[in-house]
Amino acid sequence: MKKLLTILLACSSYTVFAQHAEFARVSNSHSRNREKQPLTDVTTWYGRVGLGYAFTQAGQVNSLYGIPYSGNVSYDNTGATINSFSYKKASLNTGVNASLAMGRMFGPHIGLELAAQFDVAPTKYTFNGHNLTLGGNLSDLTITQQAKSPIFLIPAAVFQTQVANKLQAYARLGLVLPINTKVNVSVNNTDPTGNYAYTAVQSSSFSLGFNGALGLKYEAAANLKIFAEFNVMSLSAYTKKEELKSYSENGQPIPLGQISSTTTTYTLSGSNSNPNNGTGPQATSSTPFSNAGFMIGITMRL
Amino acid sequence: MKKILTLALACSSFHLFAQHSAFMKTTHTELSSKKKTRPNSTWYGRVGIGYGLNQDGQSTNGYGTPYSGIANYTANGTTVSLSDFSINKASFNAGVQATVAAGYMLDNHIGIELAGQFNIAPVKYTYDAHNYLLSGYPANSSTTTYAKSPIMIIPALVLQTGDEGLNVYTRAGLVLPLNTKMERNVQVEYLTGGPNGIRSKEYTTELSSKFGVGYTGALGISYKTDKVRLWAEVNVMSLSTTIKKEQVKSFSQDGYSIPLQYITPGTINYTQSGSYDPHTDLAYSVPFSYIGAMVGLSFKI
């Protein structure tokens, strides 16, 4: 019986060994034939984290208030003639971006991914106006606008191909679903009658955007790749609402309960609106969130 | 017997000939493939037609005037108030798109391409304002703005899942605008008479933009037949240009044409910084982004 068991075990071991040898042979042969397509990328889950910086792309000059997001304008003492002006295009989704993603490759060349992108340090834009005519007075006006940590969900299709040993080129194309596109606004106005200042938060209606990336991945270890990419995002959001958060006159805070209206709504169509006192729906305008940027990071096989 | 021998010889000859042909074909193929530096590299041409919709658009121009829609005002003496409005988003590259491209696949999965993209029927945007004050005079106006056949050159990288049968592909590239000129036609009707008693005026201007680089991407499927490859894709373009110059092309008052030398300023230069000048104004961005669908075919060249 003992001998029989020994023989069975030996046979079993041989079978396992033979299967392993055959698998190794096939794998080696497969690897030789398809050495440019590592098996690690065939039907596998992966995670991706990255950090980068984005610049204004397809941006705008004017904000919701009809004046530039960024720059200076100076009028003469009559307020009728511009002495000088200087301003820049703006996008509220520029600055330091971080990305966290999970994806699945369905073969060596195509996959799907879901990413969350966070603008962790959005650019702040400031406009300074001198001798602007506001309410019949010559005013010095400063407006600062900054997105409040924009967050986007990005489902995307991923394409990749081997370009050299351990080096892959890839492209990603996806939708941008904005989760947070709120914008902080700070206004400070001084004219001969005094000074007022307020802060407000603008929120936007949902709109769909697009995102694309081109990059290279280097296989640093068996389950770890380092990537560097160039990416773009195309998105503009339309302001829906502006809520007053604080208000002061001549440096003295005024309780919001004493303000007749703390919310202004913005729409693409409406009636009975009065731009002079801000009552009724106001005509909305687009807020630019498009950008172009670079990102580096790692992908890990899960 | 003779007939059988002849037939057998003929069959044998045919068999030998077939073998020889197959050998020659194989040898020729092997030699050809050895000549190639990369497997399955090939040149191709691509043509397509599609439609682009406004995406990442804007609603107003640099003066805060909507590109598209309607606004009704109530003018009362020297004051005016907006009674109702309806505005639309706009992109000047929306409309019927045609593309012609040539590319080179380095292997079955990666290639590069250079395309020319033409907006052959750009969307025209009209904004109507009623009973507002224009330089202090109550007026109605209608402003139509459209791009004059935008042309873009697009160098791009192509990635695809394979070369045979049905495949998925993506394309990502730069957009180099060759032509982003626009035309604006303004018709004004003064409700109670305008400057110097005129009742109406109409003028047309041409706007040109500074060069600016944009980006494009496409996601599509292709099916290879014996002779051509059929494809269908969704594509996006992200581009905004900055207005540089506006020139008056025609001007009329009360139906009478006015020679352009009498129009001041006939040309306005737009800049991002400067000082006051009647011929200088603040530049603003113009939206050319879109999302579209396109179908076409590609072929080896």
Side-chain angles (χ1 to χ4, degrees), chain A residues 85-220:
Chain A
F85 61 89
S86 172
Y87 58 85
K88 298 162 190 165
K89 273 187 176 184
S91 166
L92 298 183
N93 193 21
T94 55
V96 180
N97 275 289
S99 184
L100 193 61
M102 197 170 82
R104 181 172 169 83
M105 294 304 298
F106 296 104
H109 300 295
I110 190 166
L112 291 175
E113 180 185 293
L114 181 64
Q117 191 160 313
F118 311 87
D119 191 342
V120 291
T123 304
K124 187 185 277 189
Y125 293 101
T126 302
F127 168 80
N128 288 300
H130 176 61
N131 279 348
L132 300 180
T133 305
L134 293 175
N137 294 309
L138 293 182
S139 299
D140 285 348
L141 176 71
T142 298
I143 300 179
T144 303
Q145 295 182 75
Q146 183 183 30
K148 208 176 164 183
S149 305
I151 303 172
F152 307 96
L153 278 185
I154 305 174
V158 180
F159 292 76
Q160 64 184 29
T161 188
Q162 201 79 15
V163 290
N165 188 28
K166 294 189 172 184
L167 193 67
Q168 288 176 317
Y170 68 89
R172 210 172 53 241
L173 196 65
L175 300 174
V176 175
L177 313 174
I179 300 293
N180 177 33
T181 51
K182 286 186 176 171
V183 177
N184 283 328
V185 183
S186 171
V187 176
N188 191 307
N189 184 71
T190 303
D191 61 30
T193 65
N195 166 274
Y196 69 84
Y198 67 84
T199 59
V201 174
Q202 293 172 357
S203 53
S204 300
S205 50
F206 180 85
S207 57
L208 204 59
F210 299 92
N211 173 265
L214 271 182
L216 291 170
K217 276 193 286 191
Y218 178 75
E219 192 169 352

Side-chain angles (χ1 to χ4, degrees), chain B residues 121-271:
Chain B
V123 173
K124 290 185 177 183
Y125 293 100
T126 300
Y127 169 67
D128 293 323
H130 296 139
N131 199 21
Y132 72 111
L133 291 179
L134 178 61
S135 303
Y137 299 93
N140 293 338
S141 72
S142 179
T143 305
T144 301
T145 315
Y146 64 96
K148 288 173 80 176
S149 305
I151 303 172
M152 316 287 169
I153 297 292
I154 303 173
L157 183 75
V158 181
L159 293 176
Q160 64 183 25
T161 53
D163 186 52
E164 297 298 326
L166 191 65
N167 282 288
V168 184
Y169 68 89
T170 187
R171 208 171 52 244
L174 299 174
V175 177
L176 312 175
L178 273 195
N179 178 34
T180 51
K181 283 187 176 169
M182 293 160 54
E183 196 159 283
R184 194 155 64 104
N185 175 268
V186 182
Q187 296 174 34
V188 176
E189 177 198 2
Y190 290 102
L191 300 176
T192 56
N196 301 318
I198 63 169
R199 299 172 62 84
S200 67
K201 68 178 179 183
E202 179 177 358
Y203 59 90
T204 301
T205 63
E206 184 184 78
L207 299 112
S208 53
S209 295
K210 284 201 296 189
F211 179 82
V213 177
Y215 302 93
T216 184
L219 186 63
I221 53 171
S222 67
Y223 180 74
K224 190 176 183 180
T225 65
D226 290 342
K227 293 181 179 176
V228 297
R229 183 189 293 270
L230 305 172
W231 53 268
E233 68 180 32
V234 173
N235 50 37
V236 293
M237 182 181 289
S238 174
L239 173 71
S240 74
T241 61
T242 304
I243 211 83
K244 183 177 70 175
K245 192 167 76 173
E246 183 169 11
Q247 268 186 303
V248 179
K249 292 296 180 186
S250 67
F251 197 102
S252 66
Q253 279 183 183
D254 294 330
Y256 295 100
S257 180
I258 308 292
L260 293 182
Q261 63 264 34
Y262 298 116
I263 307 301
T264 303
T267 301
I268 297 174
N269 294 305
Y270 293 90
T271 63

